[in-house]
Amino acid sequence: MTPPGAPPLLFDRRAVRAHRTRAASRCARVAPILEEAAAWLLDRLDDTTRRFTAALDLGGRGIVAPLLRARGIATVACDLSPRMAALSGGPAVAADEEWLPFAPASFDLVVASLSLHWVNDLPGTLIQLRRALRPDGLLLASLPAAGTLASLRAALAEAEVALCGGLAPRVAPFPDLRDCAGLLQRAGFALPVADLEEIALDYAAPMALLADLRAAGESNALAERSRRVPPRGVFARALARLAGADGRLKVVLPMAMLTGWAPAPGQPQPARRGSGQVSLADVLRSPPEPGEGDGASDGT
Amino acid sequence: MTTPEPVAVDPRLLEILVCPLTRTTLRYDRARNELISAAAGLAFPIRDGIPIMLAEEARPLED
């Protein structure tokens, strides 16, 4: 579906879909991690007095939709893979996050827990989600942030260069926290906020990290990935290097937590430019001592 | 008795789904268990009650 002349696509969406379909039968293995990630996100619902009635769970891997329904919110689950979508029970749809099939103002809440990082056109997806929201509807999304798997990426690069004399991309790039808030703003969300939460993982056997990634549907789907089977030693060497002296592997999953609201008239708005009645310079200037002039000398 | 009915699609979905390519409304073909986008010329299948709104899975409509 790429028009000619378009920039090359970062992710192979067919591979993303295949990985999610394969993961549908395995992701119970990583349910505790997915549940922790979802809890971080859904906790934010308690920070608002708003009541939500119609939610979209995007890529919740059978974990998020039941949690939303337990809160009494009617929820539609959506996934690129029909088998993954089916895990959520209840109303479910298979759809491409880049081509969402929802009418405007269908939901008052969209939750995307660690599911938007394989999307090629993230700004486009965010715009589509904003349109699918009713005015004053809330988007809650988490993405692996820059730094995720950074040590794995470095260790794999080192091992692959040492063993193969060459290098193929094996870990996807992740967005910087600052970029996330900007993305929300560009997509037209009001009151955009991006902050960071972390999940700490501790593996007794380093190779279990790879098994978990596969079980979560997080296998490499970079368009430029190597199609060749890597020499067996590459992953073993990289993971051995990552493990601590005790043989355990500790990794931190930094998550960019994104919240943004679909614009509505009643929301707090920034004041119109030039509408201020007080000079900011006057406010910032230290209050003048009695008898002193206009505080031209602000002796510190 | 009769052969089991295919899992019915949730009526709430029919209210909110539009064609992902053209963003136009869809027609539900109960007999074929498909969602028809006349604008895109595609019929999206419904499997086990799950609408498959993927262009590569849709059936081109013969005109």
Side-chain angles (χ1 to χ4, degrees):
Chain A
M1 286 196 216
T2 317
L9 296 177
L10 190 53
F11 302 122
D12 175 350
R13 297 285 296 167
R14 254 172 212 286
V16 174
R17 187 178 159 194
H19 293 159
R20 294 188 78 85
T21 295
R22 205 169 43 184
S25 58
R26 297 187 194 171
C27 65
R29 176 193 164 97
V30 285
I33 303 172
L34 297 174
E35 278 162 9
E36 189 179 346
W40 277 114
L41 206 51
L42 297 189
D43 274 356
R44 312 220 159 185
L45 293 175
D46 302 328
D47 298 341
T48 167
T49 53
R50 267 286 304 278
R51 299 268 301 142
F52 298 97
T53 56
L56 171 66
D57 158 29
L58 205 55
R61 299 181 182 84
I63 300 286
V64 174
L67 291 173
L68 287 169
R69 291 179 190 134
R71 286 172 174 260
I73 307 170
T75 302
V76 171
C78 177
D79 202 282
L80 183 55
S81 156
R83 276 183 57 193
M84 193 64 107
L87 290 186
S88 295
V93 178
D96 188 331
E97 292 93 343
E98 298 180 3
W99 300 87
L100 289 171
F102 303 108
S106 292
F107 305 103
D108 56 14
L109 174 66
V110 171
V111 177
S113 185
L114 296 179
S115 61
L116 293 178
H117 52 288
W118 293 114
V119 167
N120 280 307
D121 179 15
L122 190 51
T125 293
L126 291 175
I127 289 169
Q128 291 184 50
L129 290 174
R130 197 243 307 143
R131 288 188 184 136
L133 281 167
R134 297 169 195 157
D136 214 26
L138 175 65
L139 168 74
L140 281 179
S142 61
L143 289 134
T148 299
L149 301 179
S151 56
L152 178 64
R153 180 190 288 127
L156 281 172
E158 185 277 329
E160 198 168 359
V161 167
L163 295 177
C164 315
L167 194 55
R170 301 201 178 274
V171 177
F174 299 109
D176 195 72
L177 189 61
R178 264 175 308 179
D179 300 335
C180 291
L183 272 173
L184 287 172
Q185 200 158 30
R186 259 176 76 192
F189 281 95
L191 311 169
V193 176
D195 51 46
L196 208 62
E197 302 284 4
E198 286 183 345
I199 293 183
L201 303 174
D202 185 356
Y203 291 98
M207 284 304 238
L209 168 63
L210 298 185
D212 270 10
L213 287 169
R214 231 174 281 131
E218 299 296 327
S219 305
N220 187 1
L222 285 162
E224 297 295 315
R225 70 191 183 281
S226 167
R227 261 65 169 186
R228 286 178 311 165
V229 177
R232 280 172 54 198
V234 168
F235 285 90
R237 177 177 172 135
L239 288 161
R241 169 175 271 253
L242 283 179
D246 55 358
R248 302 185 73 88
L249 174 60
K250 290 185 168 61
V251 283
V252 173
L253 170 60
M255 297 183 297
M257 314 290 283
L258 278 59
T259 57
W261 297 81
Q267 286 167 342
Q269 306 283 335
R272 190 170 50 80
R273 245 181 109 80
S275 63
Q277 297 296 309
V278 179
S279 160
L280 188 59
D282 287 346
V283 175
L284 293 176
R285 204 176 292 148
S286 49
E289 294 293 318
E292 213 178 294
D294 60 355
S297 67
D298 57 344
T300 39
Chain B
M1 303 281 277
T2 52
T3 49
E5 285 278 303
V7 182
V9 63
D10 192 301
R12 278 172 296 175
L13 289 179
L14 298 179
E15 286 170 29
I16 58 173
L17 287 176
V18 295
C19 171
L21 304 180
T22 62
R23 325 248 356 122
T24 50
T25 51
L26 299 163
R27 187 170 57 78
Y28 176 38
D29 183 335
R30 193 179 300 269
R32 297 189 75 145
N33 208 25
E34 288 176 334
L35 291 167
I36 313 285
S37 169
L42 292 173
F44 295 93
I46 300 172
R47 297 193 197 117
D48 302 324
I50 298 179
I52 314 291
M53 306 308 292
L54 302 166
E56 65 263 33
E57 297 281 315
R59 178 176 65 84
L61 295 175
E62 58 275 5
D63 33 24

